[in-house]
Amino acid sequence: MADNARAKKLADLIREVVAQKLQRGIKDPRLGSHVTITDTRVTGDLREATVFYTVYGDDEDRASAAAGLESAKGMLRSAVGAAAGTKFTPTLAFVADALPENAKTIEDLLDKARASDAKVREASSGAQYAGEADPYRKPGDDEDDEGTA
């Protein structure tokens, strides 16, 4: 079992090598400049690496980028092995990062909350208190109540 610092270093190296290779080394048109490597995680035994990526574009672009990454997996693993210099080069698994979808969901929820707040603000703009503005008793205000008790 390798220590976490070594796994983190290897993960950072894999992220850098894969990103550079995608930018300059692979001529696949499906893997143009719209693929971004966001994160890499390596298992504790340094045998498997998961590479997270995002794709700028629609669903068709995402599907073609996934196919391009699968076809370039061997070349990318070879580049990682040459750069890492480890006894065993980890296998690469490419996973589409859910960060953009999560961010969109959060933005939609925030927009809904803003709209709800605007409705409440609009409804309360002309409202008045049901009783007095200050409903609490203060000492000295109800002097006649003390005499009748």
Side-chain angles (χ1 to χ4, degrees):
M1 213 50 179
D3 60 79
N4 287 339
R6 187 169 179 196
K8 176 79 170 119
K9 272 186 186 179
L10 184 60
D12 289 343
L13 178 73
I14 291 171
R15 187 182 71 236
E16 289 175 17
V17 168
V18 169
Q20 287 176 354
K21 197 72 172 166
L22 286 177
Q23 188 177 22
R24 292 185 221 131
I26 296 178
K27 305 291 188 228
D28 193 343
R30 299 175 290 186
L31 300 174
S33 61
H34 58 275
V35 176
T36 303
I37 304 300
T38 56
D39 192 20
T40 306
R41 296 186 186 149
V42 178
T43 58
D45 60 356
L46 306 179
R47 295 282 181 163
E48 298 173 5
T50 305
V51 180
F52 295 93
Y53 67 94
T54 59
V55 179
Y56 182 74
D58 57 359
D59 290 336
E60 183 179 320
D61 291 336
R62 289 185 194 105
S64 66
L69 286 170
E70 281 299 315
S71 69
K73 188 184 287 191
M75 186 184 305
L76 293 171
R77 185 172 181 218
S78 297
V80 167
T86 58
K87 184 176 180 180
F88 182 81
T89 302
T91 59
L92 301 177
F94 292 96
V95 176
D97 200 353
L99 184 68
E101 289 83 17
N102 291 345
K104 174 119 175 71
T105 303
I106 290 171
E107 278 298 319
D108 291 343
L109 291 172
L110 287 173
D111 288 341
K112 190 184 288 187
R114 285 184 198 108
S116 175
D117 287 348
K119 283 182 185 178
V120 169
R121 196 175 307 113
E122 182 181 317
S124 67
S125 65
Q128 295 180 357
Y129 293 107
E132 297 176 17
D134 188 8
Y136 299 105
R137 291 185 182 183
K138 294 182 180 66
D141 284 349
D142 297 323
E143 294 166 2
D144 55 320
D145 287 342
E146 291 177 13
T148 58

